[in-house]
Amino acid sequence: MAGEFDFGIEAAAEPQVYFQTLPNPTRQQDQVVRVTPNAKYKSGSVRFQTQFTARTNSASKVPVEQFLLNLTEAFLEWRKYPVNLKLGVNTHNWGYMDGFSPLDVVNTKVYLDLLNSEKRGSPGLDITYEADTWSFQGLYIPVQQLPVMPATDSRWLPRFFLIDTALDDITLQLPKEFDYIYGSEEIFDQALANNFGFRFQKRFSKADLGLVYFEGVAQAPQFGIEVTGSLIDANTILVDSDVRLTPLFHRQRVSGVQLAYTISDIILKIESAYTEAITNNSEIPTWTYQNALGLEIPFYIGSRTLNVLVQGYYGDSDIGKDNLLSSSTRIFDESAALGFRYGIDSHTSILATGVYDFSTDSYFAHAQFNKGIGKYAEVMLAYDFFAGEETTLLGSFNRNERVTFRLAFRY
């Protein structure tokens, strides 16, 4: 019996223009180009699937921005009901929530752009047993890929203030021009090795219930911060020059519950996650819990649908927030998100989303327009805006207001 082969590719150019200029060496624009080929081969109960993204940014002089190859899929699958087995590199979507999901914790990520982080593929074994109304999935990942940190000339590293939680939330006031330097990463408790997890899902007539457990490396590292400077006041240090950031990769356990419930056309989603650190270090949170509640509500306007998304988050941790990648999920300690999507026609749509952080009185807004051109092309125009105190995570990016144009071709 002959097999079936399928190949596709997407190529996209994404110039990004920022409204405000930042001191050198920070980039004033981005010229991102991505090429994402994918291939599938299926013969009987066996399938092979692969996908990767090659990414460049000609506006940067940092090697990781100039070229990055991110392999997201390269796995062999064998499916014979009730067993589904995958062996190789894959990405896993364990969360129910759109946007930030407290239980989507398996894969590490590429953080070159904090608004468009991409998952890195995890090499390992994925076995799922499916019954009529329930399924059980087990994962084993012998070695995780390291996440990719924001480049040292990136606008996604703070440029005016840093919060150092290891020094009782001391504020580091940064000089006008300086360089970020990444120190050699520190990996505790073999955090990248022998990651594993389990997911149980039960299907009811109007609801899906999930139980999740995962032990492995935290998606984003904590950071050790090394600077020299002089004390301005009891809580502020004026930094002399360069800032050294040492990524600290730690091991943790995440357990939680998730629920999706359909009420007529409305979908209610709930997620709750508790994270316990296995690594014992003063710069790493011992515990964190995060809860999310969301509603997806459709409104029918003629023959078209306006989809509205309303989400609320509440969480806490035993360590304070900094304003680096390490606290990116802490935006959702006390926050709300609102989103709208409207399809003008089958090829045209508009999207608007916003997140408000009540704990820091800061917010982020995004607006987007998509238009399909013929069968193979699409254009996108997007706008991003931040507002908040400079010492908060969202406020650190006040000057990252930008417009993004994207032209993509798919085959």
Side-chain angles (χ1 to χ4, degrees):
M1 178 178 173
E4 301 175 6
F5 178 76
D6 184 48
F7 176 79
I9 190 169
E10 178 182 279
E14 301 176 8
Q16 300 168 356
V17 178
Y18 295 89
F19 285 66
Q20 298 189 47
T21 299
L22 292 177
N24 290 327
T26 316
R27 299 192 303 270
Q28 310 308 327
Q29 61 176 333
D30 287 302
Q31 301 290 339
V32 177
V33 175
R34 306 173 200 267
V35 179
T36 306
N38 65 83
K40 300 177 183 178
Y41 177 79
K42 182 179 179 181
S43 178
S45 58
V46 178
R47 178 172 66 119
F48 178 75
Q49 181 169 320
T50 184
Q51 178 174 292
F52 67 87
T53 297
R55 181 189 188 276
T56 69
N57 184 356
S58 59
S60 176
K61 297 180 180 179
V62 179
V64 71
E65 283 276 7
Q66 291 179 330
F67 181 76
L68 176 68
L69 185 66
N70 182 27
L71 179 65
T72 53
E73 295 178 350
F75 63 84
L76 185 68
E77 180 180 17
W78 177 79
R79 180 188 290 269
K80 188 171 184 180
Y81 186 82
V83 176
N84 182 22
L85 184 150
K86 295 178 182 178
L87 180 64
V89 177
N90 202 1
T91 55
H92 306 276
N93 301 301
W94 276 12
Y96 282 1
M97 306 295 294
D98 293 300
F100 170 63
S101 174
L103 287 173
D104 195 16
V105 295
V106 176
N107 298 92
T108 58
K109 294 185 177 182
V110 175
Y111 291 108
L112 296 180
D113 182 339
L114 295 191
L115 297 184
N116 297 289
S117 60
E118 304 168 11
K119 291 184 178 181
R120 306 206 76 186
S122 297
L125 177 65
D126 177 352
I127 300 177
T128 302
Y129 182 92
E130 298 184 32
D132 290 338
T133 61
W134 61 272
S135 65
F136 183 82
Q137 181 181 14
L139 295 179
Y140 174 68
I141 301 167
V143 181
Q144 286 274 25
Q145 296 193 74
L146 281 171
V148 178
M149 300 296 100
T152 51
D153 64 349
S154 171
R155 301 180 73 103
W156 301 107
L157 289 171
R159 293 292 165 180
F160 297 91
F161 295 94
L162 266 179
I163 304 300
D164 192 344
T165 56
L167 297 176
D168 294 325
D169 297 338
I170 288 290
T171 299
L172 306 177
Q173 183 176 326
L174 302 173
K176 182 177 181 181
E177 292 191 9
F178 68 98
D179 288 308
Y180 278 109
I181 301 168
Y182 282 117
S184 298
E185 63 268 2
E186 297 183 20
I187 301 173
F188 301 102
D189 298 302
Q190 298 181 316
L192 297 172
N194 299 317
N195 289 198
F196 63 92
F198 307 100
R199 186 188 191 195
F200 172 82
Q201 293 194 92
K202 173 66 176 177
R203 294 178 294 276
F204 301 93
S205 60
K206 294 186 178 182
D208 290 332
L209 174 68
L211 301 175
V212 170
Y213 176 87
F214 185 76
E215 178 179 316
V217 67
Q219 285 184 311
Q222 298 294 121
F223 291 95
I225 303 173
E226 298 177 41
V227 298
T228 61
S230 54
L231 199 63
I232 297 177
D233 57 43
N235 298 309
T236 308
I237 294 175
L238 177 61
V239 175
D240 291 334
S241 57
D242 299 342
V243 176
R244 176 177 291 273
L245 299 177
T246 301
L248 310 175
F249 294 98
H250 65 282
R251 195 174 186 92
Q252 63 183 23
R253 299 185 184 98
V254 182
S255 54
V257 61
Q258 52 194 183
L259 174 69
Y261 184 76
T262 302
I263 311 168
S264 184
D265 291 337
I266 300 173
I267 300 175
L268 169 69
K269 296 181 180 180
I270 299 173
E271 282 192 23
S272 183
Y274 180 80
T275 301
E276 176 187 10
I278 296 174
T279 298
N280 185 13
N281 185 295
S282 62
E283 295 178 288
I284 293 170
T286 304
W287 57 266
T288 301
Y289 68 83
Q290 293 174 311
N291 304 284
L293 172 67
L295 287 173
E296 294 183 19
I297 309 169
F299 293 92
Y300 301 101
I301 304 174
S303 61
R304 298 295 169 185
T305 304
L306 172 67
N307 290 299
V308 179
L309 177 67
V310 182
Q311 294 181 165
Y313 294 92
Y314 181 76
D316 200 0
S317 178
D318 70 330
I319 196 171
K321 304 177 190 179
D322 58 30
N323 59 336
L324 287 163
L325 170 64
S326 45
S327 286
S328 56
T329 63
R330 302 291 303 279
I331 295 169
F332 301 96
D333 279 359
E334 299 177 45
S335 64
L338 182 64
F340 303 89
R341 187 183 185 281
Y342 180 68
I344 298 173
D345 56 42
S346 59
H347 300 286
T348 310
S349 64
I350 54 176
L351 171 73
T353 58
V355 176
Y356 184 80
D357 183 354
F358 294 96
S359 64
T360 60
D361 190 26
S362 57
Y363 65 90
F364 157 73
H366 172 84
Q368 180 176 314
F369 172 82
N370 290 75
K371 174 70 176 178
I373 303 175
K375 186 177 180 181
Y376 300 108
E378 183 184 54
V379 295
M380 182 205 75
L381 185 66
Y383 170 76
D384 298 304
F385 179 79
F386 297 84
E389 292 293 327
E390 295 278 4
T391 54
T392 65
L393 182 62
L394 288 176
S396 296
F397 306 129
N398 280 342
R399 294 167 179 80
N400 280 9
E401 183 183 4
R402 70 179 179 184
V403 169
T404 300
F405 175 79
R406 186 175 191 266
L407 176 62
F409 295 91
R410 301 183 183 93
Y411 176 76

PDB file of all heavy atoms in Angstrom, residues 358-386:
ATOM      1  N   PHE A 358      -3.907  44.855  37.612  1.00  0.00           N
ATOM      2  CA  PHE A 358      -4.410  45.683  38.711  1.00  0.00           C
ATOM      3  C   PHE A 358      -3.337  45.933  39.770  1.00  0.00           C
ATOM      4  O   PHE A 358      -3.333  46.987  40.415  1.00  0.00           O
ATOM      5  CB  PHE A 358      -5.618  45.000  39.367  1.00  0.00           C
ATOM      6  CG  PHE A 358      -6.812  44.903  38.478  1.00  0.00           C
ATOM      7  CD1 PHE A 358      -7.059  43.739  37.754  1.00  0.00           C
ATOM      8  CD2 PHE A 358      -7.696  45.963  38.352  1.00  0.00           C
ATOM      9  CE1 PHE A 358      -8.165  43.635  36.932  1.00  0.00           C
ATOM     10  CE2 PHE A 358      -8.816  45.873  37.531  1.00  0.00           C
ATOM     11  CZ  PHE A 358      -9.048  44.707  36.815  1.00  0.00           C
ATOM     12  N   SER A 359      -2.431  44.992  39.975  1.00  0.00           N
ATOM     13  CA  SER A 359      -1.443  45.123  41.050  1.00  0.00           C
ATOM     14  C   SER A 359      -0.417  46.211  40.770  1.00  0.00           C
ATOM     15  O   SER A 359       0.169  46.767  41.699  1.00  0.00           O
ATOM     16  CB  SER A 359      -0.726  43.782  41.275  1.00  0.00           C
ATOM     17  OG  SER A 359       0.024  43.408  40.138  1.00  0.00           O
ATOM     18  N   THR A 360      -0.196  46.536  39.497  1.00  0.00           N
ATOM     19  CA  THR A 360       0.809  47.556  39.160  1.00  0.00           C
ATOM     20  C   THR A 360       0.213  48.719  38.365  1.00  0.00           C
ATOM     21  O   THR A 360       0.947  49.618  37.952  1.00  0.00           O
ATOM     22  CB  THR A 360       1.959  46.941  38.341  1.00  0.00           C
ATOM     23  OG1 THR A 360       1.435  46.388  37.123  1.00  0.00           O
ATOM     24  CG2 THR A 360       2.662  45.854  39.132  1.00  0.00           C
ATOM     25  N   ASP A 361      -1.106  48.702  38.138  1.00  0.00           N
ATOM     26  CA  ASP A 361      -1.775  49.749  37.367  1.00  0.00           C
ATOM     27  C   ASP A 361      -1.087  49.949  36.024  1.00  0.00           C
ATOM     28  O   ASP A 361      -0.762  51.063  35.623  1.00  0.00           O
ATOM     29  CB  ASP A 361      -1.789  51.061  38.155  1.00  0.00           C
ATOM     30  CG  ASP A 361      -2.692  52.110  37.501  1.00  0.00           C
ATOM     31  OD1 ASP A 361      -3.632  51.713  36.786  1.00  0.00           O
ATOM     32  OD2 ASP A 361      -2.432  53.315  37.694  1.00  0.00           O
ATOM     33  N   SER A 362      -0.857  48.847  35.317  1.00  0.00           N
ATOM     34  CA  SER A 362      -0.227  48.898  34.003  1.00  0.00           C
ATOM     35  C   SER A 362      -1.045  48.070  33.026  1.00  0.00           C
ATOM     36  O   SER A 362      -1.828  47.201  33.434  1.00  0.00           O
ATOM     37  CB  SER A 362       1.213  48.382  34.072  1.00  0.00           C
ATOM     38  OG  SER A 362       1.256  47.070  34.591  1.00  0.00           O
ATOM     39  N   TYR A 363      -0.867  48.337  31.730  1.00  0.00           N
ATOM     40  CA  TYR A 363      -1.667  47.599  30.770  1.00  0.00           C
ATOM     41  C   TYR A 363      -0.956  47.496  29.429  1.00  0.00           C
ATOM     42  O   TYR A 363       0.022  48.196  29.139  1.00  0.00           O
ATOM     43  CB  TYR A 363      -3.049  48.232  30.590  1.00  0.00           C
ATOM     44  CG  TYR A 363      -3.068  49.614  29.974  1.00  0.00           C
ATOM     45  CD1 TYR A 363      -3.165  49.779  28.587  1.00  0.00           C
ATOM     46  CD2 TYR A 363      -3.016  50.747  30.771  1.00  0.00           C
ATOM     47  CE1 TYR A 363      -3.198  51.036  28.022  1.00  0.00           C
ATOM     48  CE2 TYR A 363      -3.054  52.010  30.211  1.00  0.00           C
ATOM     49  CZ  TYR A 363      -3.143  52.156  28.824  1.00  0.00           C
ATOM     50  OH  TYR A 363      -3.167  53.395  28.285  1.00  0.00           O
ATOM     51  N   PHE A 364      -1.483  46.576  28.617  1.00  0.00           N
ATOM     52  CA  PHE A 364      -0.973  46.326  27.279  1.00  0.00           C
ATOM     53  C   PHE A 364      -2.153  46.216  26.331  1.00  0.00           C
ATOM     54  O   PHE A 364      -3.195  45.656  26.683  1.00  0.00           O
ATOM     55  CB  PHE A 364      -0.156  45.023  27.256  1.00  0.00           C
ATOM     56  CG  PHE A 364      -0.055  44.379  25.897  1.00  0.00           C
ATOM     57  CD1 PHE A 364       0.741  44.940  24.914  1.00  0.00           C
ATOM     58  CD2 PHE A 364      -0.769  43.233  25.602  1.00  0.00           C
ATOM     59  CE1 PHE A 364       0.814  44.369  23.653  1.00  0.00           C
ATOM     60  CE2 PHE A 364      -0.702  42.646  24.350  1.00  0.00           C
ATOM     61  CZ  PHE A 364       0.101  43.218  23.372  1.00  0.00           C
ATOM     62  N   ALA A 365      -2.029  46.763  25.111  1.00  0.00           N
ATOM     63  CA  ALA A 365      -3.104  46.695  24.127  1.00  0.00           C
ATOM     64  C   ALA A 365      -2.534  46.277  22.774  1.00  0.00           C
ATOM     65  O   ALA A 365      -1.406  46.634  22.411  1.00  0.00           O
ATOM     66  CB  ALA A 365      -3.801  48.042  24.007  1.00  0.00           C
ATOM     67  N   HIS A 366      -3.347  45.496  22.047  1.00  0.00           N
ATOM     68  CA  HIS A 366      -2.931  45.004  20.730  1.00  0.00           C
ATOM     69  C   HIS A 366      -4.119  45.070  19.795  1.00  0.00           C
ATOM     70  O   HIS A 366      -5.238  44.675  20.147  1.00  0.00           O
ATOM     71  CB  HIS A 366      -2.440  43.554  20.859  1.00  0.00           C
ATOM     72  CG  HIS A 366      -2.174  42.877  19.542  1.00  0.00           C
ATOM     73  ND1 HIS A 366      -0.982  43.007  18.865  1.00  0.00           N
ATOM     74  CD2 HIS A 366      -2.956  42.051  18.783  1.00  0.00           C
ATOM     75  CE1 HIS A 366      -1.023  42.290  17.757  1.00  0.00           C
ATOM     76  NE2 HIS A 366      -2.213  41.708  17.680  1.00  0.00           N
ATOM     77  N   ALA A 367      -3.910  45.572  18.574  1.00  0.00           N
ATOM     78  CA  ALA A 367      -4.931  45.596  17.539  1.00  0.00           C
ATOM     79  C   ALA A 367      -4.335  45.019  16.259  1.00  0.00           C
ATOM     80  O   ALA A 367      -3.155  45.242  15.962  1.00  0.00           O
ATOM     81  CB  ALA A 367      -5.433  47.014  17.293  1.00  0.00           C
ATOM     82  N   GLN A 368      -5.159  44.283  15.493  1.00  0.00           N
ATOM     83  CA  GLN A 368      -4.605  43.558  14.352  1.00  0.00           C
ATOM     84  C   GLN A 368      -5.641  43.453  13.237  1.00  0.00           C
ATOM     85  O   GLN A 368      -6.818  43.222  13.485  1.00  0.00           O
ATOM     86  CB  GLN A 368      -4.165  42.159  14.805  1.00  0.00           C
ATOM     87  CG  GLN A 368      -3.574  41.268  13.742  1.00  0.00           C
ATOM     88  CD  GLN A 368      -3.097  39.955  14.339  1.00  0.00           C
ATOM     89  OE1 GLN A 368      -2.440  39.923  15.373  1.00  0.00           O
ATOM     90  NE2 GLN A 368      -3.450  38.857  13.697  1.00  0.00           N
ATOM     91  N   PHE A 369      -5.162  43.605  12.004  1.00  0.00           N
ATOM     92  CA  PHE A 369      -5.998  43.464  10.808  1.00  0.00           C
ATOM     93  C   PHE A 369      -5.357  42.439   9.892  1.00  0.00           C
ATOM     94  O   PHE A 369      -4.160  42.523   9.586  1.00  0.00           O
ATOM     95  CB  PHE A 369      -6.123  44.810  10.087  1.00  0.00           C
ATOM     96  CG  PHE A 369      -6.802  44.728   8.744  1.00  0.00           C
ATOM     97  CD1 PHE A 369      -8.183  44.711   8.652  1.00  0.00           C
ATOM     98  CD2 PHE A 369      -6.047  44.664   7.567  1.00  0.00           C
ATOM     99  CE1 PHE A 369      -8.809  44.636   7.411  1.00  0.00           C
ATOM    100  CE2 PHE A 369      -6.675  44.592   6.334  1.00  0.00           C
ATOM    101  CZ  PHE A 369      -8.058  44.579   6.247  1.00  0.00           C
ATOM    102  N   ASN A 370      -6.133  41.436   9.464  1.00  0.00           N
ATOM    103  CA  ASN A 370      -5.643  40.397   8.558  1.00  0.00           C
ATOM    104  C   ASN A 370      -6.472  40.383   7.286  1.00  0.00           C
ATOM    105  O   ASN A 370      -7.706  40.485   7.327  1.00  0.00           O
ATOM    106  CB  ASN A 370      -5.727  39.008   9.213  1.00  0.00           C
ATOM    107  CG  ASN A 370      -4.729  38.817  10.325  1.00  0.00           C
ATOM    108  OD1 ASN A 370      -4.897  39.342  11.421  1.00  0.00           O
ATOM    109  ND2 ASN A 370      -3.681  38.058  10.065  1.00  0.00           N
ATOM    110  N   LYS A 371      -5.777  40.205   6.152  1.00  0.00           N
ATOM    111  CA  LYS A 371      -6.458  40.162   4.860  1.00  0.00           C
ATOM    112  C   LYS A 371      -5.808  39.105   3.976  1.00  0.00           C
ATOM    113  O   LYS A 371      -4.609  39.168   3.692  1.00  0.00           O
ATOM    114  CB  LYS A 371      -6.385  41.532   4.168  1.00  0.00           C
ATOM    115  CG  LYS A 371      -6.944  41.563   2.759  1.00  0.00           C
ATOM    116  CD  LYS A 371      -8.462  41.416   2.742  1.00  0.00           C
ATOM    117  CE  LYS A 371      -9.024  41.536   1.328  1.00  0.00           C
ATOM    118  NZ  LYS A 371     -10.493  41.358   1.291  1.00  0.00           N
ATOM    119  N   GLY A 372      -6.583  38.105   3.579  1.00  0.00           N
ATOM    120  CA  GLY A 372      -6.090  37.114   2.642  1.00  0.00           C
ATOM    121  C   GLY A 372      -6.086  37.678   1.228  1.00  0.00           C
ATOM    122  O   GLY A 372      -7.012  38.396   0.827  1.00  0.00           O
ATOM    123  N   ILE A 373      -5.034  37.349   0.469  1.00  0.00           N
ATOM    124  CA  ILE A 373      -4.914  37.806  -0.917  1.00  0.00           C
ATOM    125  C   ILE A 373      -4.819  36.571  -1.800  1.00  0.00           C
ATOM    126  O   ILE A 373      -3.790  35.881  -1.800  1.00  0.00           O
ATOM    127  CB  ILE A 373      -3.681  38.708  -1.112  1.00  0.00           C
ATOM    128  CG1 ILE A 373      -3.735  39.902  -0.170  1.00  0.00           C
ATOM    129  CG2 ILE A 373      -3.580  39.181  -2.563  1.00  0.00           C
ATOM    130  CD1 ILE A 373      -2.496  40.764  -0.215  1.00  0.00           C
ATOM    131  N   GLY A 374      -5.872  36.296  -2.489  1.00  0.00           N
ATOM    132  CA  GLY A 374      -5.875  35.107  -3.325  1.00  0.00           C
ATOM    133  C   GLY A 374      -5.803  33.854  -2.466  1.00  0.00           C
ATOM    134  O   GLY A 374      -6.233  33.814  -1.307  1.00  0.00           O
ATOM    135  N   LYS A 375      -5.212  32.826  -3.036  1.00  0.00           N
ATOM    136  CA  LYS A 375      -5.170  31.528  -2.380  1.00  0.00           C
ATOM    137  C   LYS A 375      -3.954  31.354  -1.489  1.00  0.00           C
ATOM    138  O   LYS A 375      -3.985  30.594  -0.514  1.00  0.00           O
ATOM    139  CB  LYS A 375      -5.194  30.428  -3.444  1.00  0.00           C
ATOM    140  CG  LYS A 375      -5.292  29.019  -2.895  1.00  0.00           C
ATOM    141  CD  LYS A 375      -5.378  28.003  -4.022  1.00  0.00           C
ATOM    142  CE  LYS A 375      -5.467  26.584  -3.494  1.00  0.00           C
ATOM    143  NZ  LYS A 375      -5.530  25.582  -4.600  1.00  0.00           N
ATOM    144  N   TYR A 376      -2.869  32.075  -1.783  1.00  0.00           N
ATOM    145  CA  TYR A 376      -1.595  31.748  -1.141  1.00  0.00           C
ATOM    146  C   TYR A 376      -0.991  32.861  -0.284  1.00  0.00           C
ATOM    147  O   TYR A 376       0.019  32.634   0.363  1.00  0.00           O
ATOM    148  CB  TYR A 376      -0.560  31.364  -2.215  1.00  0.00           C
ATOM    149  CG  TYR A 376      -0.965  30.175  -3.039  1.00  0.00           C
ATOM    150  CD1 TYR A 376      -1.361  30.333  -4.366  1.00  0.00           C
ATOM    151  CD2 TYR A 376      -0.977  28.904  -2.494  1.00  0.00           C
ATOM    152  CE1 TYR A 376      -1.738  29.237  -5.138  1.00  0.00           C
ATOM    153  CE2 TYR A 376      -1.357  27.794  -3.249  1.00  0.00           C
ATOM    154  CZ  TYR A 376      -1.731  27.979  -4.573  1.00  0.00           C
ATOM    155  OH  TYR A 376      -2.103  26.888  -5.319  1.00  0.00           O
ATOM    156  N   ALA A 377      -1.561  34.048  -0.269  1.00  0.00           N
ATOM    157  CA  ALA A 377      -0.917  35.169   0.416  1.00  0.00           C
ATOM    158  C   ALA A 377      -1.835  35.784   1.463  1.00  0.00           C
ATOM    159  O   ALA A 377      -3.065  35.683   1.385  1.00  0.00           O
ATOM    160  CB  ALA A 377      -0.474  36.231  -0.592  1.00  0.00           C
ATOM    161  N   GLU A 378      -1.217  36.437   2.454  1.00  0.00           N
ATOM    162  CA  GLU A 378      -1.962  37.140   3.493  1.00  0.00           C
ATOM    163  C   GLU A 378      -1.130  38.312   3.986  1.00  0.00           C
ATOM    164  O   GLU A 378       0.100  38.210   4.111  1.00  0.00           O
ATOM    165  CB  GLU A 378      -2.272  36.212   4.665  1.00  0.00           C
ATOM    166  CG  GLU A 378      -3.112  36.881   5.754  1.00  0.00           C
ATOM    167  CD  GLU A 378      -3.325  35.985   6.963  1.00  0.00           C
ATOM    168  OE1 GLU A 378      -2.323  35.494   7.510  1.00  0.00           O
ATOM    169  OE2 GLU A 378      -4.483  35.795   7.354  1.00  0.00           O
ATOM    170  N   VAL A 379      -1.793  39.427   4.252  1.00  0.00           N
ATOM    171  CA  VAL A 379      -1.129  40.565   4.867  1.00  0.00           C
ATOM    172  C   VAL A 379      -1.723  40.793   6.251  1.00  0.00           C
ATOM    173  O   VAL A 379      -2.896  40.491   6.501  1.00  0.00           O
ATOM    174  CB  VAL A 379      -1.255  41.853   4.021  1.00  0.00           C
ATOM    175  CG1 VAL A 379      -0.535  41.703   2.698  1.00  0.00           C
ATOM    176  CG2 VAL A 379      -2.713  42.224   3.809  1.00  0.00           C
ATOM    177  N   MET A 380      -0.883  41.307   7.154  1.00  0.00           N
ATOM    178  CA  MET A 380      -1.323  41.632   8.504  1.00  0.00           C
ATOM    179  C   MET A 380      -0.734  42.977   8.898  1.00  0.00           C
ATOM    180  O   MET A 380       0.439  43.265   8.604  1.00  0.00           O
ATOM    181  CB  MET A 380      -0.856  40.566   9.501  1.00  0.00           C
ATOM    182  CG  MET A 380      -1.316  40.827  10.937  1.00  0.00           C
ATOM    183  SD  MET A 380      -0.227  40.060  12.172  1.00  0.00           S
ATOM    184  CE  MET A 380       1.189  41.157  12.134  1.00  0.00           C
ATOM    185  N   LEU A 381      -1.531  43.790   9.557  1.00  0.00           N
ATOM    186  CA  LEU A 381      -1.074  45.054  10.123  1.00  0.00           C
ATOM    187  C   LEU A 381      -1.450  45.043  11.596  1.00  0.00           C
ATOM    188  O   LEU A 381      -2.618  44.812  11.938  1.00  0.00           O
ATOM    189  CB  LEU A 381      -1.716  46.243   9.407  1.00  0.00           C
ATOM    190  CG  LEU A 381      -1.230  47.636   9.816  1.00  0.00           C
ATOM    191  CD1 LEU A 381       0.245  47.818   9.425  1.00  0.00           C
ATOM    192  CD2 LEU A 381      -2.089  48.717   9.165  1.00  0.00           C
ATOM    193  N   ALA A 382      -0.471  45.275  12.486  1.00  0.00           N
ATOM    194  CA  ALA A 382      -0.730  45.191  13.926  1.00  0.00           C
ATOM    195  C   ALA A 382      -0.132  46.389  14.646  1.00  0.00           C
ATOM    196  O   ALA A 382       0.860  46.984  14.196  1.00  0.00           O
ATOM    197  CB  ALA A 382      -0.149  43.903  14.501  1.00  0.00           C
ATOM    198  N   TYR A 383      -0.737  46.717  15.789  1.00  0.00           N
ATOM    199  CA  TYR A 383      -0.289  47.831  16.624  1.00  0.00           C
ATOM    200  C   TYR A 383      -0.225  47.353  18.071  1.00  0.00           C
ATOM    201  O   TYR A 383      -1.147  46.697  18.560  1.00  0.00           O
ATOM    202  CB  TYR A 383      -1.261  49.004  16.498  1.00  0.00           C
ATOM    203  CG  TYR A 383      -1.041  50.124  17.490  1.00  0.00           C
ATOM    204  CD1 TYR A 383       0.011  51.030  17.344  1.00  0.00           C
ATOM    205  CD2 TYR A 383      -1.890  50.280  18.583  1.00  0.00           C
ATOM    206  CE1 TYR A 383       0.206  52.060  18.252  1.00  0.00           C
ATOM    207  CE2 TYR A 383      -1.708  51.308  19.497  1.00  0.00           C
ATOM    208  CZ  TYR A 383      -0.653  52.189  19.329  1.00  0.00           C
ATOM    209  OH  TYR A 383      -0.459  53.198  20.237  1.00  0.00           O
ATOM    210  N   ASP A 384       0.889  47.664  18.768  1.00  0.00           N
ATOM    211  CA  ASP A 384       1.084  47.282  20.169  1.00  0.00           C
ATOM    212  C   ASP A 384       1.391  48.522  20.996  1.00  0.00           C
ATOM    213  O   ASP A 384       2.141  49.406  20.565  1.00  0.00           O
ATOM    214  CB  ASP A 384       2.238  46.281  20.304  1.00  0.00           C
ATOM    215  CG  ASP A 384       1.972  44.985  19.564  1.00  0.00           C
ATOM    216  OD1 ASP A 384       0.944  44.361  19.840  1.00  0.00           O
ATOM    217  OD2 ASP A 384       2.792  44.603  18.701  1.00  0.00           O
ATOM    218  N   PHE A 385       0.834  48.541  22.220  1.00  0.00           N
ATOM    219  CA  PHE A 385       1.004  49.703  23.096  1.00  0.00           C
ATOM    220  C   PHE A 385       1.112  49.245  24.541  1.00  0.00           C
ATOM    221  O   PHE A 385       0.398  48.343  24.973  1.00  0.00           O
ATOM    222  CB  PHE A 385      -0.181  50.658  22.941  1.00  0.00           C
ATOM    223  CG  PHE A 385      -0.109  51.868  23.822  1.00  0.00           C
ATOM    224  CD1 PHE A 385       0.700  52.942  23.480  1.00  0.00           C
ATOM    225  CD2 PHE A 385      -0.854  51.941  24.995  1.00  0.00           C
ATOM    226  CE1 PHE A 385       0.768  54.068  24.299  1.00  0.00           C
ATOM    227  CE2 PHE A 385      -0.787  53.044  25.812  1.00  0.00           C
ATOM    228  CZ  PHE A 385       0.034  54.119  25.457  1.00  0.00           C
ATOM    229  N   PHE A 386       2.023  49.883  25.304  1.00  0.00           N
ATOM    230  CA  PHE A 386       2.228  49.583  26.725  1.00  0.00           C
ATOM    231  C   PHE A 386       2.089  50.864  27.537  1.00  0.00           C
ATOM    232  O   PHE A 386       2.425  51.961  27.068  1.00  0.00           O
ATOM    233  CB  PHE A 386       3.633  49.025  26.971  1.00  0.00           C
ATOM    234  CG  PHE A 386       3.918  47.721  26.280  1.00  0.00           C
ATOM    235  CD1 PHE A 386       4.338  47.697  24.961  1.00  0.00           C
ATOM    236  CD2 PHE A 386       3.771  46.518  26.953  1.00  0.00           C
ATOM    237  CE1 PHE A 386       4.612  46.495  24.327  1.00  0.00           C
ATOM    238  CE2 PHE A 386       4.051  45.320  26.324  1.00  0.00           C
ATOM    239  CZ  PHE A 386       4.472  45.306  25.008  1.00  0.00           C
TER     240      PHE A 386
END
